[in-house]
Amino acid sequence: MSAVVGIVPAGGSGERLGADRPKAFVVCAGRPLIEWSLEVLGAVCDRVVVAAPEGYDDGPDRVRGGESRSASVRNALAAAPEATVAVVHDAARPLVTRDLVERCLAALAPGIDGAIAAAPMTDTVKEAASDGRVVRTLDRSALWAIQTPQVFKADVLRSALERDAAALAAAPDDAALVEDAGGVIRVVEAPPGNFKVTTEGDLARAEAALC
């Protein structure tokens, strides 16, 4: 029997928000930021596990987060051995939609190990050296800004996460770990509203959209 399990790494500090608590638990439009994502994931997944920092990890389906984001994902996935599909989503993207999660799940076809939300690049992108000199202009038609949710075959993700702490901390996202292990990843176009809350301005924008 297949089981779709949501994984929410929620260990961000909230420093850039000027918050006195981890970012996932900052209030946004009357609710902790994380609750907006949990509501959507709960409607699609069989179970949702949160990897939370100390002091926020009590309660059902909450585990202690790790030293890095990917370490937190590994801890949460270890708490859900029944998972055949893992849906990893950042608590800091509160405007995620059920449609986006379902499209990522649908893209997880035979021969595809992961399907990840992404936005096509619209700006011109240049590669620059350390001194600021432009090295080359990249073809933006093939470039995507990667977001979450990121959906994986759970066994593939488990295997990819079996890395040392330094490798997990260096990983830009979980999809990169799966790619490094030889996995095949597909991008799924996300709507413009699936932005990440990082600054106070982002939080205000999210509140306006959710109210």
Side-chain angles (χ1 to χ4, degrees), residues 26-62:
V26 170
V27 174
C28 177
R31 305 167 70 182
L33 195 63
I34 191 173
E35 287 191 7
W36 297 102
S37 296
L38 293 179
E39 182 176 49
V40 172
L41 293 178
V44 180
C45 302
D46 298 302
R47 179 186 175 197
V48 182
V49 181
V50 176
E54 184 177 2
Y56 294 83
D57 55 344
D58 292 332
D61 285 333
R62 289 201 181 187

Side-chain angles (χ1 to χ4, degrees), residues 17 45 94 106 116 126 133 147 152 161 166 169 186 188 191 200 210:
L17 286 176
C45 302
I116 60 178
K126 296 182 184 289
R133 287 180 300 163
Q147 305 176 358
F152 305 96
L161 288 166
R186 172 182 286 169
V188 176
E200 291 183 55
L210 290 166

